[in-house]
Amino acid sequence: MTRRIFGQLAAGAGLVALLAGCSTSAPVHSTGGLATVPAEASPRSAEQLLAAMSLERKVAQIIMPDIGSITARDMKRYRFGTVLNGGNSGPYGNDKAPATDWLRLADEFWEASTAPLPKGEPAIPAVWATDAVHGHANVIGATVFPHNIALGATGDADLIRRIGAATAVEIEVTGLDWTFAPTIAVARDDRWGRTYESYSEDPALVSRLGAAMIEGLQGRPGEPGFLGKGKVAATAKHFFGDGGTAQGVDQGDVEGDLAALMAIHAAPYPAAIGAGVASVMASFNSINGVKMHGNKPLLTGELRGRLGFGGLVVGDWNGHGQVDGCTNADCPQALLAGLDVYMVPEDWKALHRTLVKQVKNGTIPMRRLDEAVLRVLRFKQALGLFDGEVRPSARSLGGRWDLLGSPEHRAIAREAVAKSQVILKNSGVLPLKAGARIEVAGMAADNIPQQAGGWSVTWQGGGELRAADFPGATSIWQGIAAAARAAGGEAVLVPEGSSSGKPDVAIVVFGEKPYAEFVGDRKDLAFRDEEGLNLLKAYRARGIPTVAVFLSGRPLWINREINAADAFVAAWLPGSEGAGVADVLFGARPATGRLSFSWPAQCEGTPVNGPDGALFPLGYGLDLGEAGGPGLLDETCTALTGDHGATWFASGRLGNTVQAVADNAVLPDLRGVGNGITATGIDRKAQEDARRIAFAPGAKLTLTGPESGAGWRITYQIAERPKAAVTVSAEGVAFDVTRHLAVAAGKGWREMVLSSNCLGKVGDALTFASKGKFTIEISEIARDERAGEAECSF
């Protein structure tokens, strides 16, 4: 396949240069950025296509629906320019769809978008984009590379370039053209739930590694093969400031002097643009109170003007709907500000209708629409989609299943895992001695979903995922067991540390459960799960040396665990190739990983990035065999003494000690199907931050958490009146709420207060039961002392 050079404009370049066409049939002319050729040289230029399009087709080119909300029939009717799959949107409604289904659906969208149109109007191929943020990890069987925070610890640009190249090949195997990666955020508050998507708190390191990933995905501008076979379009995201929000709140506000903010958070973009990045994604956050999706001075003035970006600016998931005065279906402000493509997963039909109307009445000048559409067309032209390209399955790599999760790609991933391990403490235990008898403990040791983290098969990762959802992957335990055998020793897995034997050393694997954006936001940096701490203390009491292997998407306050361990390794989120951890523990590879984020000395919710307040500074890491680490650390943490059991469900996630059960079926994070309950994610204020819970006749849902005398406050809504009795109970006392819910039906989001006044004694469990079909939507559940003796209300 032939693909054209795409990239940036010289700073200050005007509209004429921006709209210059590009072709492979004429010499490439450098403009100090975007390589262009005379438009008239192409027999089917973007400009000629634009001139032949109707208004309705033009508008469709700048709308990006989610594959979960459209069909090939919709594509054939509307001719969208682009589509995406959200984190939980798999082909045909199955987020665990086999790779073959991805390619089949890609063919269907291709054929629908290229079917002949009447009156000679051009049929323009659609492109499909995916969040391949650490490999093509939405697809079962793909290589899952370590997350960016781990890659930052490697500091190895050549390795990152090879990871990008391997990822691009696996994407193209499934018929897709475009990835929303890399994230080049400079995370400055580790409480942010997307910290692991950042390479570093250091803008210079982010710039270097981000550019390398772009070159791996796309190739290098001006070199043979750029955007050719085995290459896909990349996206630098999110412009800008996503890593600098106040208190690390996802989609929040970034405050301060604009020049100072750009010096940190926009610093990686010149390198990304210089690497020829095809697209830039606008950020959810605000800058000094102005949402980026509607910020013309920054999207057009800075990104287009001063930074000279000439590619495609794409929105994030309904990000335009957050602009003042906008909704998901009505936001001319975003297009006028400089957005080229609206990411509108579900409200695409209404947005299409609104945009057509707004162009007709002059709210949106035709010139601005044409400018955005032309960028979409030139994006496709750069990908070679107007060069007689065939459907995805007939391309040279389409359906090459031997390349999906290939041994060569897994070897690169294993190398990345090994190079990302950072030894924070070593009292002479590492490297492990040949012939050693080893116990491996911790529920994370043989847990591939946990070591993969978020954005792995599903959006939030973990949950109902199992090892079978990662065929070909190797857990950390499996890697250790193989390495121990190879070294003449033996390893035994005791997840709960219950062995009564006397091993030479114990390896305890523990850490954060998987999460993704906004669900992973924290109010402080205290690591609360004491499973690993208790195991380390138990082994110490038995006189057994220990190695702590900590899985996390960010640095956290783990002073207690560091004190209890003889060696401590930050393993980050290694992905599918857990054997890379063992490579360092046993000395098969050197320990070259160095912190790309400073490590907090305090647990309270304050930013610690930088030299002040750091337990371990940026760049810290021990060599293998090097003794070192801190002395005895202060274990005082006021955040641990607060009441953190109050929140039972919020931001799409259950509290740490809260469980949802449908009879005997556990519903991780209140999602899934079991014994008459179907719980699915829905959007209230952010993506999938609420749940729609459907009850079959006779079904029950029980939530259990910390025991308290407090009542419950539940934010909910009911669309339709219940048709049979619905009850709520605690400690076995059933309270009939049918009449109350009938009154609430159709009245939007409301608050339900449940106390001892209607439930009797309140303890650690709350049960909803329905005798008939019934559906309720819930966004928050919290224990509240003030509600303990309040009147029940709905």
mmCIF file with all atom_site columns, all heavy atoms in Angstrom, residues 2-7 214-215 218-229 231 275-278 382:
data_model
loop_
_atom_site.group_PDB
_atom_site.id
_atom_site.type_symbol
_atom_site.label_atom_id
_atom_site.label_alt_id
_atom_site.label_comp_id
_atom_site.label_asym_id
_atom_site.label_entity_id
_atom_site.label_seq_id
_atom_site.pdbx_PDB_ins_code
_atom_site.Cartn_x
_atom_site.Cartn_y
_atom_site.Cartn_z
_atom_site.occupancy
_atom_site.B_iso_or_equiv
_atom_site.pdbx_formal_charge
_atom_site.auth_seq_id
_atom_site.auth_comp_id
_atom_site.auth_asym_id
_atom_site.auth_atom_id
_atom_site.pdbx_PDB_model_num
ATOM 1   N N   . THR A 1 2   ? 0.450  2.242  -0.687 1.00 0.00 ? 2   THR A N   1
ATOM 2   C CA  . THR A 1 2   ? 1.200  3.487  -0.758 1.00 0.00 ? 2   THR A CA  1
ATOM 3   C C   . THR A 1 2   ? 0.533  4.512  0.129  1.00 0.00 ? 2   THR A C   1
ATOM 4   O O   . THR A 1 2   ? -0.652 4.761  0.018  1.00 0.00 ? 2   THR A O   1
ATOM 5   C CB  . THR A 1 2   ? 1.236  4.021  -2.194 1.00 0.00 ? 2   THR A CB  1
ATOM 6   O OG1 . THR A 1 2   ? 1.791  3.006  -3.030 1.00 0.00 ? 2   THR A OG1 1
ATOM 7   C CG2 . THR A 1 2   ? 2.081  5.263  -2.297 1.00 0.00 ? 2   THR A CG2 1
ATOM 8   N N   . ARG A 1 3   ? 1.316  5.129  1.002  1.00 0.00 ? 3   ARG A N   1
ATOM 9   C CA  . ARG A 1 3   ? 0.757  6.143  1.880  1.00 0.00 ? 3   ARG A CA  1
ATOM 10  C C   . ARG A 1 3   ? 1.617  7.390  1.824  1.00 0.00 ? 3   ARG A C   1
ATOM 11  O O   . ARG A 1 3   ? 2.824  7.324  1.603  1.00 0.00 ? 3   ARG A O   1
ATOM 12  C CB  . ARG A 1 3   ? 0.672  5.618  3.321  1.00 0.00 ? 3   ARG A CB  1
ATOM 13  C CG  . ARG A 1 3   ? -0.363 4.496  3.434  1.00 0.00 ? 3   ARG A CG  1
ATOM 14  C CD  . ARG A 1 3   ? -0.555 4.055  4.856  1.00 0.00 ? 3   ARG A CD  1
ATOM 15  N NE  . ARG A 1 3   ? -1.643 3.078  4.925  1.00 0.00 ? 3   ARG A NE  1
ATOM 16  C CZ  . ARG A 1 3   ? -1.999 2.482  6.038  1.00 0.00 ? 3   ARG A CZ  1
ATOM 17  N NH1 . ARG A 1 3   ? -1.413 2.732  7.154  1.00 0.00 ? 3   ARG A NH1 1
ATOM 18  N NH2 . ARG A 1 3   ? -3.001 1.617  6.026  1.00 0.00 ? 3   ARG A NH2 1
ATOM 19  N N   . ARG A 1 4   ? 0.982  8.522  2.065  1.00 0.00 ? 4   ARG A N   1
ATOM 20  C CA  . ARG A 1 4   ? 1.667  9.779  1.858  1.00 0.00 ? 4   ARG A CA  1
ATOM 21  C C   . ARG A 1 4   ? 2.182  10.386 3.148  1.00 0.00 ? 4   ARG A C   1
ATOM 22  O O   . ARG A 1 4   ? 1.712  10.095 4.230  1.00 0.00 ? 4   ARG A O   1
ATOM 23  C CB  . ARG A 1 4   ? 0.700  10.753 1.185  1.00 0.00 ? 4   ARG A CB  1
ATOM 24  C CG  . ARG A 1 4   ? 0.282  10.286 -0.203 1.00 0.00 ? 4   ARG A CG  1
ATOM 25  C CD  . ARG A 1 4   ? -0.719 11.260 -0.785 1.00 0.00 ? 4   ARG A CD  1
ATOM 26  N NE  . ARG A 1 4   ? -0.993 10.959 -2.171 1.00 0.00 ? 4   ARG A NE  1
ATOM 27  C CZ  . ARG A 1 4   ? -1.814 10.006 -2.571 1.00 0.00 ? 4   ARG A CZ  1
ATOM 28  N NH1 . ARG A 1 4   ? -2.415 9.256  -1.700 1.00 0.00 ? 4   ARG A NH1 1
ATOM 29  N NH2 . ARG A 1 4   ? -2.011 9.787  -3.849 1.00 0.00 ? 4   ARG A NH2 1
ATOM 30  N N   . ILE A 1 5   ? 3.124  11.304 2.981  1.00 0.00 ? 5   ILE A N   1
ATOM 31  C CA  . ILE A 1 5   ? 3.726  11.962 4.119  1.00 0.00 ? 5   ILE A CA  1
ATOM 32  C C   . ILE A 1 5   ? 2.751  12.931 4.759  1.00 0.00 ? 5   ILE A C   1
ATOM 33  O O   . ILE A 1 5   ? 2.066  13.659 4.089  1.00 0.00 ? 5   ILE A O   1
ATOM 34  C CB  . ILE A 1 5   ? 4.995  12.680 3.678  1.00 0.00 ? 5   ILE A CB  1
ATOM 35  C CG1 . ILE A 1 5   ? 5.916  11.624 3.104  1.00 0.00 ? 5   ILE A CG1 1
ATOM 36  C CG2 . ILE A 1 5   ? 5.584  13.514 4.772  1.00 0.00 ? 5   ILE A CG2 1
ATOM 37  C CD1 . ILE A 1 5   ? 7.346  11.831 3.239  1.00 0.00 ? 5   ILE A CD1 1
ATOM 38  N N   . PHE A 1 6   ? 2.707  12.886 6.081  1.00 0.00 ? 6   PHE A N   1
ATOM 39  C CA  . PHE A 1 6   ? 1.753  13.685 6.822  1.00 0.00 ? 6   PHE A CA  1
ATOM 40  C C   . PHE A 1 6   ? 2.480  14.250 8.026  1.00 0.00 ? 6   PHE A C   1
ATOM 41  O O   . PHE A 1 6   ? 3.353  13.616 8.568  1.00 0.00 ? 6   PHE A O   1
ATOM 42  C CB  . PHE A 1 6   ? 0.619  12.775 7.301  1.00 0.00 ? 6   PHE A CB  1
ATOM 43  C CG  . PHE A 1 6   ? -0.634 13.488 7.627  1.00 0.00 ? 6   PHE A CG  1
ATOM 44  C CD1 . PHE A 1 6   ? -1.566 13.717 6.632  1.00 0.00 ? 6   PHE A CD1 1
ATOM 45  C CD2 . PHE A 1 6   ? -0.882 13.935 8.898  1.00 0.00 ? 6   PHE A CD2 1
ATOM 46  C CE1 . PHE A 1 6   ? -2.745 14.348 6.924  1.00 0.00 ? 6   PHE A CE1 1
ATOM 47  C CE2 . PHE A 1 6   ? -2.055 14.578 9.188  1.00 0.00 ? 6   PHE A CE2 1
ATOM 48  C CZ  . PHE A 1 6   ? -2.991 14.783 8.201  1.00 0.00 ? 6   PHE A CZ  1
ATOM 49  N N   . GLY A 1 7   ? 2.132  15.423 8.461  1.00 0.00 ? 7   GLY A N   1
ATOM 50  C CA  . GLY A 1 7   ? 2.818  15.924 9.639  1.00 0.00 ? 7   GLY A CA  1
ATOM 51  C C   . GLY A 1 7   ? 2.449  17.326 9.973  1.00 0.00 ? 7   GLY A C   1
ATOM 52  O O   . GLY A 1 7   ? 1.294  17.646 10.109 1.00 0.00 ? 7   GLY A O   1
ATOM 53  N N   . ILE A 1 214 ? 5.619  7.511  18.213 1.00 0.00 ? 214 ILE A N   1
ATOM 54  C CA  . ILE A 1 214 ? 4.995  7.959  16.967 1.00 0.00 ? 214 ILE A CA  1
ATOM 55  C C   . ILE A 1 214 ? 5.773  7.424  15.769 1.00 0.00 ? 214 ILE A C   1
ATOM 56  O O   . ILE A 1 214 ? 5.183  6.932  14.793 1.00 0.00 ? 214 ILE A O   1
ATOM 57  C CB  . ILE A 1 214 ? 4.914  9.494  16.945 1.00 0.00 ? 214 ILE A CB  1
ATOM 58  C CG1 . ILE A 1 214 ? 3.900  9.979  17.989 1.00 0.00 ? 214 ILE A CG1 1
ATOM 59  C CG2 . ILE A 1 214 ? 4.532  10.007 15.553 1.00 0.00 ? 214 ILE A CG2 1
ATOM 60  C CD1 . ILE A 1 214 ? 4.002  11.448 18.315 1.00 0.00 ? 214 ILE A CD1 1
ATOM 61  N N   . GLU A 1 215 ? 7.089  7.489  15.825 1.00 0.00 ? 215 GLU A N   1
ATOM 62  C CA  . GLU A 1 215 ? 7.906  6.971  14.727 1.00 0.00 ? 215 GLU A CA  1
ATOM 63  C C   . GLU A 1 215 ? 7.732  5.466  14.571 1.00 0.00 ? 215 GLU A C   1
ATOM 64  O O   . GLU A 1 215 ? 7.745  4.942  13.449 1.00 0.00 ? 215 GLU A O   1
ATOM 65  C CB  . GLU A 1 215 ? 9.367  7.315  14.969 1.00 0.00 ? 215 GLU A CB  1
ATOM 66  C CG  . GLU A 1 215 ? 9.658  8.800  14.825 1.00 0.00 ? 215 GLU A CG  1
ATOM 67  C CD  . GLU A 1 215 ? 11.071 9.176  15.219 1.00 0.00 ? 215 GLU A CD  1
ATOM 68  O OE1 . GLU A 1 215 ? 11.776 8.334  15.824 1.00 0.00 ? 215 GLU A OE1 1
ATOM 69  O OE2 . GLU A 1 215 ? 11.471 10.316 14.935 1.00 0.00 ? 215 GLU A OE2 1
ATOM 70  N N   . GLN A 1 218 ? 4.109  5.007  12.931 1.00 0.00 ? 218 GLN A N   1
ATOM 71  C CA  . GLN A 1 218 ? 3.918  5.576  11.597 1.00 0.00 ? 218 GLN A CA  1
ATOM 72  C C   . GLN A 1 218 ? 5.112  5.416  10.666 1.00 0.00 ? 218 GLN A C   1
ATOM 73  O O   . GLN A 1 218 ? 4.956  5.480  9.443  1.00 0.00 ? 218 GLN A O   1
ATOM 74  C CB  . GLN A 1 218 ? 3.646  7.095  11.705 1.00 0.00 ? 218 GLN A CB  1
ATOM 75  C CG  . GLN A 1 218 ? 2.399  7.449  12.460 1.00 0.00 ? 218 GLN A CG  1
ATOM 76  C CD  . GLN A 1 218 ? 2.067  8.939  12.381 1.00 0.00 ? 218 GLN A CD  1
ATOM 77  O OE1 . GLN A 1 218 ? 0.938  9.323  12.613 1.00 0.00 ? 218 GLN A OE1 1
ATOM 78  N NE2 . GLN A 1 218 ? 3.019  9.782  12.040 1.00 0.00 ? 218 GLN A NE2 1
ATOM 79  N N   . GLY A 1 219 ? 6.304  5.212  11.215 1.00 0.00 ? 219 GLY A N   1
ATOM 80  C CA  . GLY A 1 219 ? 7.524  5.348  10.442 1.00 0.00 ? 219 GLY A CA  1
ATOM 81  C C   . GLY A 1 219 ? 8.014  6.781  10.524 1.00 0.00 ? 219 GLY A C   1
ATOM 82  O O   . GLY A 1 219 ? 7.362  7.644  11.104 1.00 0.00 ? 219 GLY A O   1
ATOM 83  N N   . ARG A 1 220 ? 9.183  7.030  9.946  1.00 0.00 ? 220 ARG A N   1
ATOM 84  C CA  . ARG A 1 220 ? 9.745  8.381  9.986  1.00 0.00 ? 220 ARG A CA  1
ATOM 85  C C   . ARG A 1 220 ? 9.387  9.136  8.711  1.00 0.00 ? 220 ARG A C   1
ATOM 86  O O   . ARG A 1 220 ? 9.510  8.615  7.609  1.00 0.00 ? 220 ARG A O   1
ATOM 87  C CB  . ARG A 1 220 ? 11.261 8.324  10.125 1.00 0.00 ? 220 ARG A CB  1
ATOM 88  C CG  . ARG A 1 220 ? 11.765 7.960  11.523 1.00 0.00 ? 220 ARG A CG  1
ATOM 89  C CD  . ARG A 1 220 ? 13.264 8.213  11.617 1.00 0.00 ? 220 ARG A CD  1
ATOM 90  N NE  . ARG A 1 220 ? 13.749 8.113  12.977 1.00 0.00 ? 220 ARG A NE  1
ATOM 91  C CZ  . ARG A 1 220 ? 14.473 7.094  13.437 1.00 0.00 ? 220 ARG A CZ  1
ATOM 92  N NH1 . ARG A 1 220 ? 14.762 6.072  12.634 1.00 0.00 ? 220 ARG A NH1 1
ATOM 93  N NH2 . ARG A 1 220 ? 14.907 7.088  14.684 1.00 0.00 ? 220 ARG A NH2 1
ATOM 94  N N   . PRO A 1 221 ? 8.949  10.396 8.863  1.00 0.00 ? 221 PRO A N   1
ATOM 95  C CA  . PRO A 1 221 ? 8.618  11.199 7.677  1.00 0.00 ? 221 PRO A CA  1
ATOM 96  C C   . PRO A 1 221 ? 9.813  11.298 6.736  1.00 0.00 ? 221 PRO A C   1
ATOM 97  O O   . PRO A 1 221 ? 10.949 11.459 7.170  1.00 0.00 ? 221 PRO A O   1
ATOM 98  C CB  . PRO A 1 221 ? 8.278  12.577 8.260  1.00 0.00 ? 221 PRO A CB  1
ATOM 99  C CG  . PRO A 1 221 ? 7.913  12.311 9.679  1.00 0.00 ? 221 PRO A CG  1
ATOM 100 C CD  . PRO A 1 221 ? 8.740  11.145 10.113 1.00 0.00 ? 221 PRO A CD  1
ATOM 101 N N   . GLY A 1 222 ? 9.521  11.148 5.459  1.00 0.00 ? 222 GLY A N   1
ATOM 102 C CA  . GLY A 1 222 ? 10.572 11.278 4.464  1.00 0.00 ? 222 GLY A CA  1
ATOM 103 C C   . GLY A 1 222 ? 11.342 10.005 4.189  1.00 0.00 ? 222 GLY A C   1
ATOM 104 O O   . GLY A 1 222 ? 12.141 9.952  3.262  1.00 0.00 ? 222 GLY A O   1
ATOM 105 N N   . GLU A 1 223 ? 11.100 8.963  4.997  1.00 0.00 ? 223 GLU A N   1
ATOM 106 C CA  . GLU A 1 223 ? 11.791 7.698  4.789  1.00 0.00 ? 223 GLU A CA  1
ATOM 107 C C   . GLU A 1 223 ? 10.850 6.694  4.129  1.00 0.00 ? 223 GLU A C   1
ATOM 108 O O   . GLU A 1 223 ? 9.633  6.780  4.286  1.00 0.00 ? 223 GLU A O   1
ATOM 109 C CB  . GLU A 1 223 ? 12.309 7.135  6.119  1.00 0.00 ? 223 GLU A CB  1
ATOM 110 C CG  . GLU A 1 223 ? 13.397 7.973  6.755  1.00 0.00 ? 223 GLU A CG  1
ATOM 111 C CD  . GLU A 1 223 ? 13.981 7.317  7.997  1.00 0.00 ? 223 GLU A CD  1
ATOM 112 O OE1 . GLU A 1 223 ? 13.537 6.183  8.335  1.00 0.00 ? 223 GLU A OE1 1
ATOM 113 O OE2 . GLU A 1 223 ? 14.873 7.921  8.616  1.00 0.00 ? 223 GLU A OE2 1
ATOM 114 N N   . PRO A 1 224 ? 11.395 5.745  3.377  1.00 0.00 ? 224 PRO A N   1
ATOM 115 C CA  . PRO A 1 224 ? 10.548 4.727  2.747  1.00 0.00 ? 224 PRO A CA  1
ATOM 116 C C   . PRO A 1 224 ? 9.706  3.986  3.785  1.00 0.00 ? 224 PRO A C   1
ATOM 117 O O   . PRO A 1 224 ? 10.176 3.672  4.870  1.00 0.00 ? 224 PRO A O   1
ATOM 118 C CB  . PRO A 1 224 ? 11.566 3.778  2.081  1.00 0.00 ? 224 PRO A CB  1
ATOM 119 C CG  . PRO A 1 224 ? 12.779 4.615  1.881  1.00 0.00 ? 224 PRO A CG  1
ATOM 120 C CD  . PRO A 1 224 ? 12.826 5.574  3.038  1.00 0.00 ? 224 PRO A CD  1
ATOM 121 N N   . GLY A 1 225 ? 8.467  3.726  3.435  1.00 0.00 ? 225 GLY A N   1
ATOM 122 C CA  . GLY A 1 225 ? 7.592  2.973  4.326  1.00 0.00 ? 225 GLY A CA  1
ATOM 123 C C   . GLY A 1 225 ? 6.805  3.824  5.294  1.00 0.00 ? 225 GLY A C   1
ATOM 124 O O   . GLY A 1 225 ? 5.997  3.285  6.065  1.00 0.00 ? 225 GLY A O   1
ATOM 125 N N   . PHE A 1 226 ? 7.012  5.151  5.279  1.00 0.00 ? 226 PHE A N   1
ATOM 126 C CA  . PHE A 1 226 ? 6.240  6.005  6.183  1.00 0.00 ? 226 PHE A CA  1
ATOM 127 C C   . PHE A 1 226 ? 4.755  5.860  5.894  1.00 0.00 ? 226 PHE A C   1
ATOM 128 O O   . PHE A 1 226 ? 4.306  6.015  4.756  1.00 0.00 ? 226 PHE A O   1
ATOM 129 C CB  . PHE A 1 226 ? 6.671  7.464  6.012  1.00 0.00 ? 226 PHE A CB  1
ATOM 130 C CG  . PHE A 1 226 ? 5.901  8.433  6.869  1.00 0.00 ? 226 PHE A CG  1
ATOM 131 C CD1 . PHE A 1 226 ? 6.139  8.498  8.234  1.00 0.00 ? 226 PHE A CD1 1
ATOM 132 C CD2 . PHE A 1 226 ? 4.948  9.265  6.312  1.00 0.00 ? 226 PHE A CD2 1
ATOM 133 C CE1 . PHE A 1 226 ? 5.439  9.389  9.030  1.00 0.00 ? 226 PHE A CE1 1
ATOM 134 C CE2 . PHE A 1 226 ? 4.245  10.165 7.102  1.00 0.00 ? 226 PHE A CE2 1
ATOM 135 C CZ  . PHE A 1 226 ? 4.485  10.229 8.466  1.00 0.00 ? 226 PHE A CZ  1
ATOM 136 N N   . LEU A 1 227 ? 3.988  5.509  6.927  1.00 0.00 ? 227 LEU A N   1
ATOM 137 C CA  . LEU A 1 227 ? 2.550  5.236  6.813  1.00 0.00 ? 227 LEU A CA  1
ATOM 138 C C   . LEU A 1 227 ? 2.260  4.193  5.733  1.00 0.00 ? 227 LEU A C   1
ATOM 139 O O   . LEU A 1 227 ? 1.205  4.218  5.104  1.00 0.00 ? 227 LEU A O   1
ATOM 140 C CB  . LEU A 1 227 ? 1.768  6.526  6.541  1.00 0.00 ? 227 LEU A CB  1
ATOM 141 C CG  . LEU A 1 227 ? 1.575  7.426  7.759  1.00 0.00 ? 227 LEU A CG  1
ATOM 142 C CD1 . LEU A 1 227 ? 0.837  8.700  7.372  1.00 0.00 ? 227 LEU A CD1 1
ATOM 143 C CD2 . LEU A 1 227 ? 0.833  6.709  8.876  1.00 0.00 ? 227 LEU A CD2 1
ATOM 144 N N   . GLY A 1 228 ? 3.186  3.283  5.545  1.00 0.00 ? 228 GLY A N   1
ATOM 145 C CA  . GLY A 1 228 ? 3.010  2.225  4.566  1.00 0.00 ? 228 GLY A CA  1
ATOM 146 C C   . GLY A 1 228 ? 2.604  0.922  5.218  1.00 0.00 ? 228 GLY A C   1
ATOM 147 O O   . GLY A 1 228 ? 1.931  0.906  6.252  1.00 0.00 ? 228 GLY A O   1
ATOM 148 N N   . LYS A 1 229 ? 3.006  -0.181 4.624  1.00 0.00 ? 229 LYS A N   1
ATOM 149 C CA  . LYS A 1 229 ? 2.659  -1.504 5.129  1.00 0.00 ? 229 LYS A CA  1
ATOM 150 C C   . LYS A 1 229 ? 3.107  -1.644 6.581  1.00 0.00 ? 229 LYS A C   1
ATOM 151 O O   . LYS A 1 229 ? 4.242  -1.338 6.938  1.00 0.00 ? 229 LYS A O   1
ATOM 152 C CB  . LYS A 1 229 ? 3.326  -2.572 4.267  1.00 0.00 ? 229 LYS A CB  1
ATOM 153 C CG  . LYS A 1 229 ? 3.113  -4.001 4.762  1.00 0.00 ? 229 LYS A CG  1
ATOM 154 C CD  . LYS A 1 229 ? 3.854  -4.982 3.870  1.00 0.00 ? 229 LYS A CD  1
ATOM 155 C CE  . LYS A 1 229 ? 3.734  -6.407 4.405  1.00 0.00 ? 229 LYS A CE  1
ATOM 156 N NZ  . LYS A 1 229 ? 4.465  -7.372 3.560  1.00 0.00 ? 229 LYS A NZ  1
ATOM 157 N N   . LYS A 1 231 ? 2.101  0.046  9.125  1.00 0.00 ? 231 LYS A N   1
ATOM 158 C CA  . LYS A 1 231 ? 2.111  1.311  9.848  1.00 0.00 ? 231 LYS A CA  1
ATOM 159 C C   . LYS A 1 231 ? 0.693  1.850  9.942  1.00 0.00 ? 231 LYS A C   1
ATOM 160 O O   . LYS A 1 231 ? -0.132 1.613  9.054  1.00 0.00 ? 231 LYS A O   1
ATOM 161 C CB  . LYS A 1 231 ? 3.011  2.344  9.161  1.00 0.00 ? 231 LYS A CB  1
ATOM 162 C CG  . LYS A 1 231 ? 4.481  1.921  9.071  1.00 0.00 ? 231 LYS A CG  1
ATOM 163 C CD  . LYS A 1 231 ? 5.097  1.737  10.447 1.00 0.00 ? 231 LYS A CD  1
ATOM 164 C CE  . LYS A 1 231 ? 6.546  1.306  10.362 1.00 0.00 ? 231 LYS A CE  1
ATOM 165 N NZ  . LYS A 1 231 ? 7.124  1.038  11.718 1.00 0.00 ? 231 LYS A NZ  1
ATOM 166 N N   . ALA A 1 275 ? 7.825  14.636 14.615 1.00 0.00 ? 275 ALA A N   1
ATOM 167 C CA  . ALA A 1 275 ? 7.852  13.223 14.222 1.00 0.00 ? 275 ALA A CA  1
ATOM 168 C C   . ALA A 1 275 ? 6.777  12.903 13.197 1.00 0.00 ? 275 ALA A C   1
ATOM 169 O O   . ALA A 1 275 ? 6.661  11.757 12.766 1.00 0.00 ? 275 ALA A O   1
ATOM 170 C CB  . ALA A 1 275 ? 7.691  12.338 15.452 1.00 0.00 ? 275 ALA A CB  1
ATOM 171 N N   . GLY A 1 276 ? 5.989  13.917 12.805 1.00 0.00 ? 276 GLY A N   1
ATOM 172 C CA  . GLY A 1 276 ? 4.984  13.715 11.760 1.00 0.00 ? 276 GLY A CA  1
ATOM 173 C C   . GLY A 1 276 ? 3.674  13.161 12.248 1.00 0.00 ? 276 GLY A C   1
ATOM 174 O O   . GLY A 1 276 ? 2.926  12.557 11.465 1.00 0.00 ? 276 GLY A O   1
ATOM 175 N N   . VAL A 1 277 ? 3.325  13.347 13.523 1.00 0.00 ? 277 VAL A N   1
ATOM 176 C CA  . VAL A 1 277 ? 2.100  12.748 14.052 1.00 0.00 ? 277 VAL A CA  1
ATOM 177 C C   . VAL A 1 277 ? 0.900  13.173 13.209 1.00 0.00 ? 277 VAL A C   1
ATOM 178 O O   . VAL A 1 277 ? 0.736  14.340 12.859 1.00 0.00 ? 277 VAL A O   1
ATOM 179 C CB  . VAL A 1 277 ? 1.901  13.109 15.538 1.00 0.00 ? 277 VAL A CB  1
ATOM 180 C CG1 . VAL A 1 277 ? 1.557  14.582 15.737 1.00 0.00 ? 277 VAL A CG1 1
ATOM 181 C CG2 . VAL A 1 277 ? 0.856  12.206 16.169 1.00 0.00 ? 277 VAL A CG2 1
ATOM 182 N N   . ALA A 1 278 ? 0.055  12.216 12.879 1.00 0.00 ? 278 ALA A N   1
ATOM 183 C CA  . ALA A 1 278 ? -1.046 12.460 11.954 1.00 0.00 ? 278 ALA A CA  1
ATOM 184 C C   . ALA A 1 278 ? -2.212 13.194 12.604 1.00 0.00 ? 278 ALA A C   1
ATOM 185 O O   . ALA A 1 278 ? -2.936 13.916 11.935 1.00 0.00 ? 278 ALA A O   1
ATOM 186 C CB  . ALA A 1 278 ? -1.541 11.131 11.378 1.00 0.00 ? 278 ALA A CB  1
ATOM 187 N N   . ALA A 1 382 ? -3.290 10.561 3.072  1.00 0.00 ? 382 ALA A N   1
ATOM 188 C CA  . ALA A 1 382 ? -1.978 10.203 3.612  1.00 0.00 ? 382 ALA A CA  1
ATOM 189 C C   . ALA A 1 382 ? -1.887 8.721  3.933  1.00 0.00 ? 382 ALA A C   1
ATOM 190 O O   . ALA A 1 382 ? -0.816 8.117  3.856  1.00 0.00 ? 382 ALA A O   1
ATOM 191 C CB  . ALA A 1 382 ? -1.693 11.033 4.863  1.00 0.00 ? 382 ALA A CB  1
#
